[in-house]
Coordinates of all heavy atoms in Angstrom, one line a residue:
F384 N 96.1 89.1 102.2 CA 95.3 90.2 101.7 C 94.6 89.8 100.4 O 93.6 90.5 100.1 CB 96.2 91.4 101.4 CG 96.4 92.2 102.7 CD1 97.6 92.3 103.3 CD2 95.3 92.9 103.3 CE1 97.8 93.0 104.5 CE2 95.5 93.6 104.4 CZ 96.7 93.7 105.1
P387 N 89.6 86.7 100.5 CA 88.5 87.5 101.1 C 88.0 86.9 102.4 O 87.6 87.7 103.2 CB 87.4 87.3 100.0 CG 87.9 86.4 99.0 CD 89.3 86.1 99.2
H389 N 88.0 86.1 106.0 CA 88.9 86.6 107.1 C 89.5 85.5 107.9 O 90.7 85.6 108.3 CB 88.0 87.5 108.1 CG 88.8 88.2 109.1 ND1 89.8 89.1 108.9 CD2 88.8 88.0 110.5 CE1 90.4 89.5 110.0 NE2 89.8 88.8 111.0
F396 N 98.1 85.5 108.3 CA 98.6 86.6 109.1 C 99.4 86.1 110.3 O 100.4 86.6 110.7 CB 97.5 87.6 109.5 CG 97.0 88.4 108.5 CD1 95.6 88.5 108.3 CD2 97.8 89.2 107.7 CE1 95.1 89.3 107.3 CE2 97.3 90.0 106.7 CZ 95.9 90.1 106.5
K425 N 98.5 94.9 113.0 CA 97.3 95.6 112.6 C 96.7 95.0 111.3 O 95.6 95.4 110.8 CB 97.7 97.1 112.3 CG 98.3 97.7 113.5 CD 98.9 99.1 113.1 CE 99.6 99.6 114.3 NZ 100.4 100.9 114.0
A426 N 97.4 94.1 110.6 CA 97.0 93.6 109.3 C 95.6 92.9 109.4 O 94.8 93.2 108.4 CB 98.0 92.6 108.8
P427 N 95.2 92.1 110.3 CA 93.8 91.4 110.3 C 92.7 92.5 110.3 O 91.7 92.3 109.6 CB 93.8 90.6 111.5 CG 95.3 90.2 111.8 CD 96.0 91.5 111.4
Q428 N 92.9 93.6 111.0 CA 91.9 94.6 111.1 C 91.8 95.3 109.7 O 90.8 95.6 109.2 CB 92.1 95.6 112.2 CG 91.0 96.6 112.3 CD 89.7 96.0 112.6 OE1 89.5 95.1 113.3 NE2 88.6 96.6 112.0
L429 N 92.9 95.6 109.1 CA 93.0 96.3 107.8 C 92.4 95.3 106.8 O 91.7 95.8 105.9 CB 94.5 96.5 107.5 CG 94.8 97.4 106.2 CD1 94.0 98.7 106.2 CD2 96.2 97.6 106.0
H430 N 92.6 94.0 106.9 CA 92.0 93.1 106.0 C 90.5 93.2 106.0 O 89.8 93.2 105.0 CB 92.5 91.7 106.3 CG 91.9 90.6 105.5 ND1 90.7 90.0 105.8 CD2 92.3 90.0 104.3 CE1 90.4 89.1 104.9 NE2 91.4 89.1 104.0
K431 N 89.9 93.2 107.3 CA 88.5 93.3 107.4 C 87.9 94.6 106.7 O 87.0 94.6 106.1 CB 88.1 93.4 108.9 CG 88.0 92.0 109.5 CD 87.5 92.3 111.0 CE 87.3 90.9 111.7 NZ 86.9 91.1 113.1
E432 N 88.7 95.7 106.9 CA 88.3 97.0 106.4 C 88.3 96.9 104.8 O 87.3 97.3 104.2 CB 89.2 98.1 106.8 CG 89.0 98.5 108.3 CD 87.6 99.0 108.6 OE1 87.1 99.9 107.8 OE2 87.1 98.7 109.6
I433 N 89.3 96.4 104.3 CA 89.4 96.3 102.8 C 88.3 95.4 102.2 O 87.7 95.8 101.3 CB 90.8 95.6 102.4 CG1 91.9 96.6 102.7 CG2 90.8 95.3 100.9 CD1 93.3 96.0 102.6
H434 N 88.1 94.2 102.8 CA 87.2 93.3 102.3 C 85.7 93.7 102.6 O 84.8 93.2 101.9 CB 87.5 91.9 102.6 CG 88.7 91.4 101.9 ND1 88.7 91.1 100.6 CD2 90.0 91.3 102.2 CE1 89.9 90.7 100.2 NE2 90.7 90.9 101.2
R435 N 85.5 94.6 103.6 CA 84.2 95.1 103.8 C 83.7 96.0 102.8 O 82.6 96.1 102.4 CB 84.1 95.8 105.2 CG 82.8 96.3 105.6 CD 82.7 97.0 106.9 NE 83.9 96.8 107.7 CZ 84.1 97.4 108.8 NH1 83.2 98.3 109.3 NH2 85.2 97.2 109.5
H436 N 84.7 96.7 102.2 CA 84.4 97.7 101.1 C 84.4 97.1 99.7 O 84.3 97.8 98.7 CB 85.4 98.9 101.2 CG 85.3 99.6 102.5 ND1 84.2 100.4 102.8 CD2 86.2 99.8 103.5 CE1 84.4 100.9 104.0 NE2 85.6 100.5 104.4
G437 N 84.7 95.9 99.6 CA 84.7 95.2 98.3 C 85.8 94.2 98.2 O 86.8 94.4 98.8
P438 N 85.7 93.2 97.3 CA 86.7 92.2 97.2 C 88.0 92.8 96.7 O 88.0 93.7 95.8 CB 86.1 91.2 96.2 CG 84.8 91.7 95.8 CD 84.5 93.0 96.4
M439 N 89.1 92.3 97.2 CA 90.4 92.7 96.8 C 90.6 92.4 95.3 O 91.4 93.1 94.6 CB 91.5 91.9 97.6 CG 92.8 92.5 97.4 SD 93.0 94.1 98.1 CE 94.7 94.2 98.5
K460 N 89.5 104.6 95.7 CA 89.9 104.5 97.1 C 90.3 103.1 97.4 O 91.3 102.9 98.1 CB 88.8 104.9 98.0 CG 88.5 106.4 98.0 CD 87.3 106.8 98.9 CE 87.0 108.3 98.8 NZ 85.9 108.6 99.6
S461 N 89.6 102.1 96.9 CA 90.0 100.7 97.2 C 91.3 100.4 96.5 O 92.2 99.8 97.1 CB 88.9 99.8 96.6 OG 89.3 98.4 96.8
L464 N 94.1 102.1 98.5 CA 94.4 101.4 99.7 C 95.2 100.1 99.4 O 96.1 99.8 100.1 CB 93.0 101.0 100.4 CG 93.1 100.3 101.7 CD1 93.9 101.1 102.7 CD2 91.7 100.0 102.2
I468 N 98.9 99.3 101.0 CA 99.2 98.0 101.7 C 100.4 97.3 101.1 O 101.4 97.0 101.8 CB 98.0 97.0 101.6 CG1 96.8 97.5 102.4 CG2 98.4 95.6 102.1 CD1 95.5 96.8 102.1

Side-chain angles (χ1 to χ4, degrees):
F384 276 110
H389 184 68
F396 286 130
K425 301 171 188 170
Q428 184 59 38
L429 186 56
H430 178 272
K431 272 186 184 176
E432 290 295 317
I433 290 168
H434 289 283
R435 182 180 346 175
H436 297 294
M439 190 66 152
K460 286 179 185 175
S461 178
L464 184 58
I468 292 165

